[in-house]
Amino acid sequence: MKRLDVFLKEQKKPELSIIIGEFVKSGKEIYKQLQNIGINGYYSESDEKNASGDSPKKIDIYAHDLLVENLKSTSLVSIIGSEESKELIKCGDFISNKVYDVYFDPLDGSSNLECSGGTGTIFGIFPSSSLSCGDEEEREYKFPKGRDIVCSGYLYYSSSLILTITFGNGTFVFTFDGEHFVENIKSPLVFTDKCQRIYSVNEGSKDKWNDILREQIEVFKKENYTLRYIGSMVADVHRTLLYGGVFIHPTKKLRLLYECIPISFLVENCEGVSYSDATKVLDLTPESLHQKVPIVLGCKRDVYYFS
Ligand code: AHM
Ligand code: MG
């Protein structure tokens, strides 16, 4: 089975691979802290409030700080955007030869931690837009378009430590064996119309659904689909990528830049589809760092009804 280091060499993108290396290194540290979270108290709330007005847990801040420090150490990253930072983080000199802008949610799903639920780090990497700007004084940051993304993935912290990643040529899964990340037997992932019949949505929010969603969920029920919903995006998406079906978050809660776009790049790279209302998520251009959008993703058979 192929190891991640071999896979990364094959991509022939040495600078991107260094950045991925920092995500992997940080992910291993975050996973270690999560394994002891009932003891180290990291799930207590920090004193801060994030851009959404939520109080992050200490572990959210730990993951954010670790990722920022490790990514800055590469000297390859120009701009960092994180769920746990209200503003963009400019890495050193904004005007530089740094090549990538990196967006991430350091620890998605952390409300599940008290019951040892799965969580994840979601990331998306874009060519640095500061490079293409004009005169130094006039450089203004423009958020990248969804389709500008060159690499995305997530680290999934659960019974195993998983890395799911795409460089735009297939979606690959690696499992940490204690020493190395090793390719999963199901990798690369491909959705087929014979995938499992699963719908994943928070039915507790039914009052906020539109008619299309309400009617389609009734159709799924009549066709004997199974409901599976964990309430942790990485966990629900990981199941959807491996088993099939559809994941829906219809209210504006999930963030476009560092959750929906990176996950949609993974989904499209295994022949799935991902929409926000009637637009493909990757066809959107974020207007702000923490913009929230509705999302429906999964196999074409099931997402078709919402597009
Ligand atoms: P968070 O940013 O507060 O961690 O919330 C994100 C999580 C996602 O992981 C998950 O898909 C979603 O919230 C669940 O939302 P809901 O409670 O509306 O079902
Ligand atoms: Mg999140």
Side-chain angles (χ1 to χ4, degrees):
M1 278 181 289
K2 194 180 287 177
R3 275 170 37 177
L4 178 64
D5 51 351
V6 175
F7 168 82
L8 289 176
K9 271 195 195 119
E10 287 173 359
Q11 303 309 306
K12 298 198 169 69
K13 306 251 167 63
E15 288 163 331
L16 267 182
S17 295
I18 291 170
I19 294 173
I20 299 306
E22 294 304 321
F23 272 105
V24 165
K25 188 169 99 187
S26 311
K28 285 191 226 165
E29 290 302 313
I30 295 167
Y31 192 53
K32 250 190 237 164
Q33 294 297 343
L34 288 169
Q35 286 172 321
N36 293 321
I37 197 144
I39 305 161
N40 64 19
Y42 266 29
Y43 51 42
S44 59
E45 284 181 2
S46 72
D47 301 330
E48 303 168 34
K49 288 242 185 290
N50 67 18
S52 304
D54 303 327
S55 294
K57 295 177 192 297
K58 284 185 180 159
I59 187 80
D60 290 303
I61 302 300
Y62 166 83
H64 166 86
D65 289 346
L66 182 69
L67 285 161
V68 170
E69 187 187 326
N70 287 344
L71 289 167
K72 276 185 173 175
S73 76
T74 65
S75 298
L76 294 168
V77 179
S78 177
I79 296 287
I80 291 174
S82 161
E83 175 166 353
E84 303 308 343
S85 173
K86 285 184 186 134
E87 308 291 337
L88 289 168
I89 300 165
K90 297 171 186 171
C91 301
D93 219 356
F94 183 43
I95 300 144
S96 68
N97 59 355
K98 291 174 181 168
V99 281
Y100 291 107
D101 293 346
V102 180
Y103 295 89
F104 56 80
D105 183 350
L107 194 62
D108 188 59
S110 55
S111 61
N112 294 282
L113 282 176
E114 279 88 342
C115 63
S116 306
T119 51
T121 298
I122 306 170
F123 59 87
I125 306 173
F126 301 78
S128 176
S129 60
S130 55
L131 277 177
S132 55
C133 299
D135 183 60
E136 292 186 4
E137 298 303 313
E138 291 169 12
R139 286 170 200 237
E140 264 184 39
Y141 190 75
K142 285 198 177 66
F143 290 104
K145 295 178 188 148
R147 295 230 175 255
D148 291 344
I149 195 164
V150 289
C151 178
S152 76
Y154 56 76
L155 286 141
Y156 178 28
Y157 312 112
S158 183
S159 49
S160 303
L161 172 56
I162 301 284
L163 171 73
T164 303
I165 188 166
T166 183
F167 284 80
N169 55 358
T171 295
F172 297 84
V173 189
F174 295 84
T175 305
F176 187 56
D177 71 0
E179 210 170 336
H180 304 288
F181 277 84
V182 179
E183 197 173 350
N184 185 296
I185 42 169
K186 290 197 173 160
S187 188
L189 301 176
V190 183
F191 277 113
T192 71
D193 281 349
K194 293 201 176 80
C195 63
Q196 290 188 36
R197 293 173 184 268
I198 300 171
Y199 72 94
S200 186
V201 67
N202 183 347
E203 295 226 43
S205 306
K206 209 172 177 176
D207 289 352
K208 298 177 194 147
W209 294 0
N210 63 25
D211 289 344
I212 298 172
L213 178 55
R214 218 170 273 143
E215 283 160 24
Q216 191 50 43
I217 296 297
E218 288 312 310
V219 172
F220 287 149
K221 285 179 183 172
K222 282 194 190 108
E223 292 180 359
N224 292 322
Y225 275 58
T226 298
L227 165 63
R228 292 282 182 269
Y229 190 73
I230 297 166
S232 174
M233 190 189 198
V234 172
D236 282 313
V237 166
H238 191 65
R239 184 203 53 251
T240 306
L241 293 180
L242 272 112
Y243 294 178
V246 57
F247 167 79
I248 305 160
H249 204 297
T251 59
K252 287 188 185 172
K253 178 171 186 189
L254 299 178
R255 285 49 162 223
L256 177 58
L257 198 37
Y258 47 81
E259 295 177 330
C260 297
I261 288 175
I263 294 288
S264 301
F265 196 42
L266 292 168
V267 170
E268 284 203 3
N269 271 283
C270 47
E271 296 176 29
V273 274
S274 180
Y275 280 87
S276 187
D277 295 326
T279 308
K280 284 193 173 161
V281 170
L282 291 180
D283 290 334
L284 297 172
T285 302
E287 286 159 14
S288 60
L289 174 56
H290 300 288
Q291 184 182 350
K292 298 171 180 179
V293 293
I295 190 166
V296 181
L297 63 88
C299 69
K300 287 179 186 147
R301 178 196 68 202
D302 298 338
V303 177
Y304 167 79
Y305 302 100
F306 303 97
S307 57

